[in-house]
Amino acid sequence: MLAGCDVIWSIDHVGPRDGGGGGDDGDSSSTDAPDAPTGACVATEHDEDDDAVPDRCDKCPGIADSQGDMDTDGVGDACDPSSAQHMIAKFISFTEPSTTWMGQTGSWLPDGESLKYNSFTDGNHHSVKYTGTLPNPPYVIDVHFQIDVAPQEVLALYMWLDTNQTVSGGTGAACSYERFSGLNDAVRAHNTDSGQTGIANFATQASPGGYRLRATYDRSTNLICFLSADDSIPSGTAMEPTGGIMPGAFGFRSYKVGFTLHSITFIKAL
């Protein structure tokens, strides 16, 4: 029903951790601090990871965890990038209305809990663009998604960062999971401004299942991409210098991979 181009869907959810005035326009005067919680969380609030802690009060809203926090910075051990002090600057779980995701081409279907891509059979690249406010880099971004169908010998799933996006691609930075003809699956870090890519091959091909794509990103230094699986599929890490990439759009693009986006977490150092 929602297949096609240029459709805007109301599927963004950000609670009190929404990144204030932090934007994707590169304005250094904006703030990335999350809003303070208003009142105690209650059981009826949304709980993305089903760990009995509502998103608004969860120290790792995208990962079911014990709420352990060794460095007491408010970011749980299960999702904390390091022992340095961090904060969750923005969390997106695709549950509440807004107009912040725009399907550029292809079939992107919201179901109130996720965003599903369903154009994996036509042999074209299709993309969806985030149009809301994001924190400024540097940050770590965790994307939790499900590979639903990966039947093709050649396929690719991209997460674009600071990209001047077009239908077929763009310039900027990107992390991707890819399968090449006759080769193993791989995770790649892209600097598409310079045409350079860092690549790490997996030992085996990824199969349908749950995955986490993590990017550590700074416009002026490096992009580090890491893909891990909820099952036994091996993980991979790739790095590529970014070299002063300018701010732009954020979104996803797929080529012959049917997948479902579940949540996106932006984590910033204090």
Side-chain angles (χ1 to χ4, degrees), residues 62 142-148 150 157 177 179 185 202 204-214 226-235 257 259-263:
D142 273 343
V143 179
H144 290 264
F145 65 97
Q146 181 88 13
I147 295 178
D148 302 317
L157 169 60
Y177 151 64
R179 179 175 298 167
D185 291 10
F202 298 155
T204 60
Q205 291 186 341
S207 60
Y211 292 85
R212 178 176 73 165
L213 181 64
R214 166 171 279 197
F226 173 76
L227 180 69
S228 62
D230 293 341
D231 51 29
S232 60
I233 299 300
S235 301
V257 183
F259 73 102
T260 302
L261 289 168
H262 290 296
S263 68

Side-chain angles (χ1 to χ4, degrees), residues 73 75-77 79-84 86 140 142 214 216 267-268:
D73 61 358
V75 180
D77 298 333
C79 58
D80 203 334
S82 72
S83 59
H86 292 90
V140 172
D142 273 343
R214 166 171 279 197
T216 302
I267 303 171
K268 285 181 64 69

Side-chain angles (χ1 to χ4, degrees), residues 5 17 26 29 83 111 122 136 149 153 169 221 265:
C5 306
R17 289 193 173 103
S29 64
S83 59
D111 63 8
D122 65 4
N136 286 317
V149 182
E153 184 180 11
T221 55
T265 308

Side-chain angles (χ1 to χ4, degrees), residues 12-37:
D12 181 40
H13 169 68
V14 288
R17 289 193 173 103
D18 189 352
D24 56 0
D25 58 1
D27 180 3
S28 61
S29 64
S30 61
T31 177
D32 294 311
D35 301 333

